[in-house]
Amino acid sequence: ELGKVSFVCFYCFSLFLLFLKLENKTKGKPQKQICQVVLDHFEKQYTTELGHTWTSVRDVLTYPLCWQYAILLNKFSQSSELENTLGVKGYHPAFQGPLPYLPALLKCYIRRTPGRFPAQKHQAGKLKEYYLLNAASLLPVLALEVKDGEDVLDLCAAPGGKSIAILQCAYPGQFHCNEYDDLRSRWLKQTIESFIPYPLINLITVSKLDGRQIGDLKPELYEKVLVDAPCSNDRSWLFSSDIQQATLRLMQRKELPSLQFQLLRSAIKALRPGGSLVYSTCTLSRAENSDVINLILNSCSNVMPVDISEMARAVSQEFTFLSGMQQHELLVLPEKGRAWGPMYVAKLKKM
């Protein structure tokens, strides 16, 4: 009898452990801890800059269980079975409004409920069918409006999601993807290899140049330039596991606007007259967003702002935007049920 009881107890305990394991799996990454030093820093800055809006944004950023993930389909490895599966799981196509630019082959699926679709592993010689990303990451690509045959520069391209999205939209004449950081550059190459087939991949140049120097090295070479600048990555910084690293980041944060300004000035030099540039970050910080763009507009007489308010209106069902922005810029604010962003986007044109 005692043997039976102990067996039943052991069996129940095993089931309990299995339940915990499954529960943890469904909860994503329960071990994520908020980095208090970063939260305190953000609390101070964003309460001033965003007012009461910061409270609801903070609630999303500090609670990964309500985060959502979009699924960008790879047109070079199409699967009708995948689209059916997404439909069954409650996903629907994003960007259904009357957008000024929406290529038919750019397919992105989202759903209101949180959770993450399983990622595909990198396999040499095999193309992936989809890319997981924050849906707001596609807004800079939609604002850039790349057309077939145009020469395009993605100045700070790693990890490669926006480069992949550009290639879903059009076939550039030349596509230059640059990433200065060595580790991130390897990541970028792997992403491109996972999504882009031969011979198209031969049109893509991957370089490791200092983005601040590209304008001098390749003056007036591109019709479209994307500057997805290094920034305070609010979402990931809040979960820094190394407090010393987090403190150092916060100290060095003051230097980012200067770097962003230099990257933008280099990008403007690399643009042909009449060409367009999109600047984006994944931070809420005004110093890295509007302030940098205003500084460029005030110091470069050969660039002008481009109105992107029509695009913002067309996607306002899917995204929440900070009010009071100028017509050439937008800032996506995460909120429950629409937990996309932060994402700042601004568009400029070279005269």
Side-chain angles (χ1 to χ4, degrees), residues 279-281 283 289-290 293 325 329-332 342-346:
Y279 173 76
S280 60
T281 74
T283 180
N289 295 339
S290 301
I293 291 296
M325 301 293 278
E329 61 180 356
L330 59 83
L331 178 60
V332 179
M343 181 61 59
Y344 174 80
V345 183

Side-chain angles (χ1 to χ4, degrees), residues 326-347:
Q326 296 185 76
Q327 289 189 316
H328 62 270
E329 61 180 356
L330 59 83
L331 178 60
V332 179
L333 300 173
E335 67 167 33
K336 283 198 173 81
R338 297 196 288 189
W340 314 114
M343 181 61 59
Y344 174 80
V345 183
K347 187 170 185 179

Side-chain angles (χ1 to χ4, degrees), residues 261-277:
F261 176 79
Q262 290 171 66
L263 288 168
L264 271 171
R265 223 170 32 180
S266 174
I268 290 161
K269 285 181 186 175
L271 258 187
R272 287 179 194 155
S276 303
L277 177 154

